[in-house]
Amino acid sequence: GWASEGLGAGGKNRRVCHAAARLEMGSLWEEFNRLGTEMIVTKAGRRMFPTFQVKLSGLDPLADYVLLMDFPPPHRYAFHSSSWLAAGRADPAAPGRVHFHPDSPAKGAQWMRQIVSFDKLKLTNNLLDDNGHIILNSMHRYQPRFHVVFVDPRRDSERFAHQNFKSFSFPETQFMAVTAYQNHRITQLKIASNPFAKGFRDGEPEP
């Protein structure tokens, strides 16, 4: 039937099995990674810098896709039969939160047209956050994970959930969540490379 015909590499739906993602600003991420990247978490939520950005290829231009990220601690890579898919619909307890790219769902053609930037994503250490920010524990290391999910039009699509996504993680994007920078070289590199940290440079607090 349709299900077996529609499968490609690794038992994945042919609409995701060719998906490829290239990390943008890879050399900047590398530079941070060599120092041991730190990301600030605040009660109100803080954007990541560098911003997680990818260039996508290999999607079906006419199919719909949802893009999302999650932040499992690096020692826990197991996927529980794509439970984060279900988690996206409920209001899951931390740390299982996911961040949906706000343009989701969109056609493959739209996602591939330009760089996909997760610049709305914010990190918080507030366990009671109700703004949908990603909740992380300070002084824990995290490995961001990026997922491309084919929006399956079939009525019983839940049955195929495990076939309908492809996941990517880039080791150079892992970071330590902190409430204040521990390494002054990280602070310097953030100021030097972040166009939005100008206030920082002029001796004012970052917005």
Side-chain angles (χ1 to χ4, degrees):
W2 198 96
S4 50
E5 284 157 33
L7 293 187
K12 293 290 183 184
N13 188 300
R14 60 194 170 81
R15 288 186 180 80
V16 292
C17 67
H18 302 298
R22 187 188 75 217
L23 181 69
E24 292 293 312
M25 298 192 300
S27 54
L28 183 59
W29 278 107
E30 270 304 334
E31 218 179 324
F32 274 103
N33 190 39
R34 277 197 295 275
L35 298 175
T37 311
E38 298 174 11
M39 294 286 180
I40 297 278
V41 292
T42 62
K43 280 274 183 282
R46 178 71 67 91
R47 290 199 164 103
M48 290 170 66
F49 184 84
T51 308
F52 190 92
Q53 298 181 314
V54 287
K55 186 81 174 84
L56 288 174
S57 57
L59 304 182
D60 177 340
L62 300 177
D64 285 308
Y65 297 89
V66 164
L67 303 189
L68 61 137
M69 290 186 69
D70 67 349
F71 291 75
H75 58 267
R76 229 189 18 153
Y77 275 120
F79 244 143
H80 296 296
S81 66
S82 70
S83 61
W84 48 261
L85 263 184
R89 300 205 183 94
D91 191 9
R97 278 199 174 172
V98 298
H99 174 86
F100 287 85
H101 192 285
D103 295 345
S104 304
K107 299 283 179 215
Q110 185 187 327
W111 291 126
M112 292 188 289
R113 195 172 300 138
Q114 64 247 338
I115 291 166
V116 174
S117 181
F118 281 87
D119 51 5
K120 301 283 191 287
L121 189 157
K122 289 187 176 181
L123 308 177
T124 185
N125 57 350
N126 177 13
L127 295 173
L128 304 176
D129 175 78
D130 57 4
N131 300 302
H133 300 330
I134 295 285
I135 300 172
L136 303 180
N137 289 312
S138 182
M139 301 310 289
H140 284 59
R141 194 177 296 283
Y142 292 91
Q143 170 65 68
R145 213 165 39 169
F146 165 65
H147 313 278
V148 176
V149 185
F150 164 55
V151 180
D152 193 332
R154 290 175 287 181
R155 242 203 340 268
D156 53 350
S157 62
E158 310 73 63
R159 282 179 42 210
F160 308 105
H162 59 288
Q163 300 169 0
N164 287 338
F165 71 90
K166 190 170 182 181
S167 304
F168 303 88
S169 59
F170 304 95
E172 63 271 41
T173 61
Q174 63 174 272
F175 62 86
M176 180 78 80
V178 296
T179 50
Y181 293 123
Q182 309 294 301
N183 178 349
H184 74 279
R185 291 175 64 198
I186 289 287
T187 314
Q188 288 168 347
L189 184 54
K190 295 246 184 182
I191 292 168
S193 51
N194 185 352
F196 302 108
K198 173 144 178 43
F200 231 13
R201 274 193 285 263
D202 303 339
E204 293 159 21
E206 205 184 345

